[in-house]
Amino acid sequence: MLDLVIDARPAALSAGFEVRRILPYRLRRMLGPFIFMDHAGPVHLAPEQLPNLDVLPHPHIGLSTVSYLFGGQVTHRDSLGVEQVIRPGEVNWMTAGSGIAHSERFEDPATLAGGALEMIQTWVALPEADEESAPSFTNYQPQELPIFTDSGVWMRLIAGDAFGLHNQVRTHSPLFYLHVVLQPGARFGLPRGYPERGAYVAKGSLEVNGRTYTAGQLLVFTPGIDPVLVAPMACTLMLLGGEPLGERFIWWNFVSSRRERIEQAKADWQAGRIALPPNDNAAFVPLPQDRTRPAGSTPPPQPLS
């Protein structure tokens, strides 16, 4: 029933911002088109410490970033000139395509509204035909995202198609992405029709086939199996998956089906050919160096499949 259970590992998003990284994982690099998944928070800080969380402008190619908040808020600025305050329940879909740079700033005390900042960020790899598409950013408000409720079940469709629900969030390949809250004793399933499916336990615990899984675990299910998900206590899940896209290479924030394209992106960022956000261009994240290799060299992109 389960192919794999992935335990989130600690990682740093910025100098003062630690997250739990779920994807990529050495035994499971992608889940459908999803190639990256981070769970940040809950973060409890004094307002004067908020600048420590800032993520300076940095580049992407070949993917879409999807930001979804449980609490707090973050200000997004990108090289298209977009400035968007992202709040809980919204879907913020940035398609990097041929190249974009963006920052994530935590500059308003309202970031800690409700007592904590907490967010899930995923990257969705693009099909080969869309890897060099024009970059774009769209903010979708909560009222644009269908909600389903039943006894002990609350569910919001973030993107894709699932359980007969659909919304206008623009995707590039078949996928599903859901925020699900289950009350104690509730039973739930997975969307059908997708070869790759998973459930990330964001809060609480989940029982599958008599075994209990806890917060910070991603359950990857065997294709063709329709498990029953049981909530022994209140829990929050992120359900995600879809059609696989094939092999991808990844290095830092760059994703591509072609190794040489990532090498070009490295050179473009170093040479300043990927524009910075016009309203956030005083500083940026430099191209990382591989300390295990001679000075001036960089590690080759790693394949993801």
Side-chain angles (χ1 to χ4, degrees), residues 117 129 134-135 154 160 260:
L117 164 70
W154 178 95
E260 63 274 14

Side-chain angles (χ1 to χ4, degrees), residues 12-17 50-60 74-79 94 100-107 121 123 252-253 269 275-277 279-287:
L13 202 60
S14 65
F17 198 2
L50 285 177
N52 295 331
L53 304 180
D54 285 349
V55 181
L56 297 177
H58 57 281
H60 292 284
V74 57
T75 299
H76 162 98
R77 297 184 178 96
D78 64 40
S79 49
M94 184 185 77
I100 197 170
H102 75 127
S103 64
E104 293 162 308
R105 300 282 190 173
F106 303 87
E107 52 201 10
Q121 186 170 91
W123 298 354
W252 192 34
N253 303 311
W269 184 243
L276 294 172
N279 44 2
D280 192 353
N281 57 15
F284 60 88
V285 181
L287 191 77

